[in-house]
Amino acid sequence: MSSPPLADLTGVRNTTDLLAGRVAGHPDAVAFDVREPGAPVDAPWRPVTTAAFEAHVRAIAKGLVAAGLAPGDAVAVMAPTRYEWALVDMAVWYAGGVVVPVYETSAQVQVSAVVLDADVRLAVGGGPRHVELLTHALAEAGRPAPVWSMDAAPGHDLTALVALGADLLDDVVDARRTGADLDDVATIVYTSGTTSAPRGALITHRNLVGQVLSVAAAYTDVVREGGSTVIFLPLAHVLARGLQLVCLAGGMRIAHLGDPREVVPALAVLKPTFLVVVPRVLQKVHAAATAAAADKHLGRVWASAQRTAIAWGRLAEAADEAPAAAPGTAAPGTAAPAARGSDVVPARPSVGLRLRHAVYERLFYRRLRARLGGRVDYLLSGAAALDADLSLFFRGIGVPVIEGYGLTETTAPLTGNLPGSIRSGSVGVPMPGTTVRIADDGEVLARGVGVFRGYRNPEAHAEAFVDGFFRTGDLGSLDERGRLVLHGRVKDVIVTSGGKTVSPADWERYVEREPMVAHAMVVGEGKPYLGGVLLLDPESVAAWAHRHGIADLGPLQLPSGGAVEVHDSRLVAAIGAVVAAANARLSAPEQVRRFALVLADLSEASGTVTPTMKLKRAAIAERVRDIVDRLYHGAPSPA
């Protein structure tokens, strides 16, 4: 399936032209909302215009040049998501450099590996810890250099860096800014590595500019002048940085949050029109609403409200389908825009459905939208598969979810659903200028404007491509309208001792609907049947225990560096019902016959998840080896 290009890159020199063009046309438009360091989210946020942002970018770029940055030199940036990240990111490009993002939660060995492999010459850290890690890494690499801090640090912060370049003329920055062309490397992004060691992906200015202009053209209902968003995903991830560029070029206000706990209270203050989230965030919002209803003894009413929202969302999707053109003929972005918010009315709802929806709108739906700020037109979900019923639920309450799919190597979006053409359970059609092909073994292959140049390691690069297409490592299929449906990872496929080949993604995704299950992992390679390891979310388990009046379960204590099995019979029974429901949806060879509830430290520092909270299966498998063995050796275990 191919989607024709919508973006014209003629006359665009490199990524910095996105900002320069915006300044030329809309210098006084507000580009960012910024709060003072340490201020609460309900404190006043300071508006920053496009012109003011660019002036600060230029000042930092002058400092980098004065500090010795040569064209093409790599600059490491390690910090939580914050406004200064955006400044430094663009300033490095204005100075002619290459940005190397480092996840702010990375350990010293990870930071040192990135700095060495990317040949980093200068660095900027968020605070003292980041500065220390980067300084040590540069010294280890034999390239000691000053590291500047985004936090105040007299003589060593961004203010000092600006002062260093105060005497440079704008002509110097102009020459540096326009020195790179579209085919030069803009950033080296290290993959988060769920199944292998991180690899440096070479992403060009053409990749970034092409994706930004393509997204803006395909999603005019979302990327619009006067819109706004809150970025709380890690800016070290290409998805968040791509989103930032799309909004900056498209005239949307951006606010940054580095602490996920601040997101919900901040939404009421900032009132965004669009948010990019991971599925777990939507699960948490849904779980919180379920818990609140239970506390008010409205559990049965809420259950009916959920069914009503899903039914409403399903009919709304059917209305999307009716006017759709034949597969492969309509360019992305040409579909009729969907109605927004609570005005979404599906085709031919029954009188009963209309009445129920109206009642639950007053009881629940509008309150949920208010928790998101009350102005959200769309949510974009990425980084992991989204449960179809959860997508339908949010569509039914008036907040359509646009699910997309992409990788670091595709400069984030590879496919995406479109406003007016959303199908839950799919990740949409190829982005403009992109072709998706399904290999004979089911692997998703990609070619197009966002596909990266390759890895720094030539051997890894050679293995990543076939016939000019990038091998994503994911399994998928294309539906009758050319939308991609994902079926799991190639490396996650399990072959049982009976010779049955099973992709566990569907079972895992269904079980992960249960808020108490943070991650589900199917095991059984070479075994007579499949087993399941269900990694618990302690907060959700505590909320469940509270709702059911269970006082003796006690707080679940996360083990340090290991994993423990949880045997509470009430918890096993509750989650066992979810397991049984998942099994009922699948054939016998795909069903999990035994499972274990496990408590483990699910943090990046523990090495069990990536910075975007994807499960590192090999690391978890090592920690739960004894638990898994008991699933296959007759020891007591839930059936």
Side-chain angles (χ1 to χ4, degrees), residues 50 87 108 132 174 220 260 267 294 313 376 401 609 618:
T50 310
L87 283 170
Q108 182 66 70
E132 181 181 352
D174 289 335
T220 54
L267 297 181
V376 172
V401 181
V609 294

Side-chain angles (χ1 to χ4, degrees), residues 237-302:
H237 194 285
V238 71
L239 173 60
R241 290 171 71 208
L243 167 66
Q244 184 164 262
L245 287 171
V246 168
C247 293
L248 185 60
M252 294 185 69
R253 296 170 73 141
I254 303 167
H256 298 93
L257 287 173
D259 185 348
R261 293 171 296 182
E262 294 183 324
V263 173
V264 172
L267 297 181
V269 177
L270 297 166
K271 300 185 183 304
T273 62
F274 171 63
L275 286 173
V276 175
V277 298
V278 295
R280 193 65 181 162
V281 171
L282 300 183
Q283 292 169 352
K284 290 280 191 181
V285 171
H286 181 269
T290 300
D295 287 343
K296 296 175 182 177
H297 305 290
L298 294 173
R300 289 186 178 180
V301 179
W302 171 244

Side-chain angles (χ1 to χ4, degrees), residues 286-572:
H286 181 269
T290 300
D295 287 343
K296 296 175 182 177
H297 305 290
L298 294 173
R300 289 186 178 180
V301 179
W302 171 244
S304 177
Q306 293 179 76
R307 292 192 296 270
T308 298
I310 291 171
W312 192 267
R314 188 170 285 116
L315 283 177
E317 284 197 0
D320 284 352
E321 291 291 287
T329 61
T334 60
R340 292 197 182 101
S342 59
D343 296 327
V344 175
V345 179
R348 297 183 299 279
S350 67
V351 173
L353 180 60
R354 280 184 177 274
L355 288 174
R356 290 194 301 275
H357 193 275
V359 170
Y360 297 141
E361 164 67 20
R362 291 191 293 272
L363 280 177
F364 300 115
Y365 303 157
R366 65 183 182 184
R367 288 182 170 85
L368 275 173
R369 293 198 303 273
R371 285 182 64 81
L372 297 172
R375 295 179 63 229
V376 172
D377 297 326
Y378 295 97
L379 297 168
L380 172 64
S381 177
L386 176 67
D387 178 72
D389 279 355
L390 191 61
S391 175
L392 290 168
F393 169 80
F394 276 93
R395 179 78 182 265
I397 71 168
V399 188
V401 181
I402 299 172
E403 188 175 6
Y405 160 71
L407 304 94
T408 296
E409 294 89 343
T410 61
T411 319
L414 175 61
T415 67
N417 281 282
L418 296 164
S421 182
I422 296 174
R423 170 66 69 86
S424 56
S426 88
V427 291
V429 296
M431 295 299 296
T434 300
T435 298
V436 168
R437 190 175 89 187
I438 307 301
D440 291 342
D441 63 356
E443 184 175 8
V444 179
L445 309 178
R447 182 174 64 192
V449 66
V451 175
F452 73 144
R453 175 192 288 184
Y455 297 110
R456 280 182 62 81
N457 183 331
E459 292 181 5
H461 173 80
E463 296 173 356
F465 289 84
V466 58
D467 297 333
F469 282 79
F470 171 63
R471 301 177 58 187
T472 66
D474 289 308
L475 296 169
S477 60
L478 295 169
D479 73 7
E480 71 283 356
R481 297 190 184 276
R483 289 174 295 222
L484 179 63
V485 178
L486 295 175
H487 304 300
R489 294 285 294 170
V490 172
K491 293 183 178 179
D492 294 342
V493 168
I494 295 170
V495 181
T496 66
S497 60
K500 296 292 185 181
T501 299
V502 178
S503 177
D506 287 343
W507 189 92
E508 292 171 346
R509 187 159 50 244
Y510 190 89
V511 172
E512 286 172 357
R513 288 182 179 183
E514 168 54 57
M516 290 188 288
V517 180
H519 294 280
M521 186 175 77
V522 175
V523 296
E525 180 69 28
K527 302 295 185 181
Y529 55 83
L530 299 181
V533 175
L534 308 185
L535 299 160
L536 299 175
D537 180 327
E539 291 183 6
S540 296
V541 170
W544 170 83
H546 173 73
R547 289 197 306 273
H548 290 82
I550 299 174
D552 60 337
L553 182 60
L556 299 177
Q557 299 296 326
L558 287 173
S560 177
V564 295
E565 188 171 359
V566 177
H567 296 283
D568 185 273
S569 59
R570 297 158 298 185
L571 193 55
V572 169

